[in-house]
Amino acid sequence: MAADDISRGEAERLRGLDDAARVARTFEVIAGRGELWVWGDEDEILFTEDARRRTLLPIWPHATVARLENEGDVPGEHAIRIAADVFLKEWLPQLEDDRADIAIFPVEENNAAVLTLAEFHSRMTAALRLN
C-alpha cells in the first residue's frame, strides 16, 4: 500500500457514504493532498458513459477506492495519480476538447455526482483556496 493510500476497510467505509458525503470527501481529500486518482493503463485512461450518453471521466479521492471499483476488470489497469494543479491546468482543457464531464467517486456504477468541467473547476478552485 502506498504511503498516501488508505486501508481497504477505510475505503469500504467511504464507498458506503451517501452521494453528498462522497462528493464532499472527494474535494476535501483532493485539496488536502493535492492529488486525485483516475483509472487506466500505460496507454489509456478509463472513460465511461452515463444513460444520457455523456462521456465521463471517473475520479476518486484515494487509490484504494479506485482499485475496489475497477480491479480485475482488465489486466494491466491500475489507479493513476494526477496532481490537482496539473489536472486543472492540463487535463481540463483536454477534457473540454473531448466534451467530457467529471464523474465524482463512482461506486458500483453510481456516480456521487456528475459535474461539468466548469462546475468541477469552480469547486476544486474553491476547495484549494480553503486548504
Side-chain angles (χ1 to χ4, degrees), residues 73-84:
D73 288 352
V74 177
E77 289 186 349
H78 57 275
I80 299 168
R81 179 193 172 278
I82 303 170

Side-chain angles (χ1 to χ4, degrees), residues 19-63:
D19 292 348
R22 290 199 331 266
V23 170
R25 176 65 182 206
T26 298
F27 283 103
E28 173 187 304
V29 170
I30 293 171
R33 293 188 174 182
E35 64 187 23
L36 58 90
W37 298 85
V38 297
W39 192 258
D41 61 21
E42 302 310 315
D43 300 317
E44 291 186 304
I45 299 299
L46 172 77
F47 284 84
T48 61
E49 271 190 2
D50 67 5
R52 296 180 3 203
R53 301 188 54 79
R54 290 181 295 185
T55 299
L56 304 174
L57 175 66
I59 66 163
W60 292 270
H62 300 282

Side-chain angles (χ1 to χ4, degrees), residues 8-131:
R8 184 179 182 98
E10 177 65 4
E12 290 288 1
R13 186 189 73 73
L14 293 175
R15 285 171 46 96
L17 295 174
D18 67 22
D19 292 348
R22 290 199 331 266
V23 170
R25 176 65 182 206
T26 298
F27 283 103
E28 173 187 304
V29 170
I30 293 171
R33 293 188 174 182
E35 64 187 23
L36 58 90
W37 298 85
V38 297
W39 192 258
D41 61 21
E42 302 310 315
D43 300 317
E44 291 186 304
I45 299 299
L46 172 77
F47 284 84
T48 61
E49 271 190 2
D50 67 5
R52 296 180 3 203
R53 301 188 54 79
R54 290 181 295 185
T55 299
L56 304 174
L57 175 66
I59 66 163
W60 292 270
H62 300 282
T64 304
V65 290
R67 277 195 293 276
L68 288 174
E69 188 63 23
N70 295 288
E71 213 162 42
D73 288 352
V74 177
E77 289 186 349
H78 57 275
I80 299 168
R81 179 193 172 278
I82 303 170
D85 61 337
V86 170
F87 191 82
L88 291 173
K89 291 176 189 155
E90 297 176 20
W91 282 63
L92 287 186
Q94 180 60 49
L95 291 170
E96 192 169 337
D97 290 346
D98 294 338
R99 296 189 178 125
D101 290 326
I102 307 289
I104 306 290
F105 200 152
V107 172
E108 297 176 8
E109 299 183 22
N110 174 38
N111 301 314
V114 173
L115 302 179
T116 66
L117 300 179
E119 290 168 334
F120 180 85
H121 185 272
S122 175
R123 290 199 57 181
M124 192 69 255
T125 303
L128 288 167
R129 260 189 252 125
L130 291 174
N131 200 18

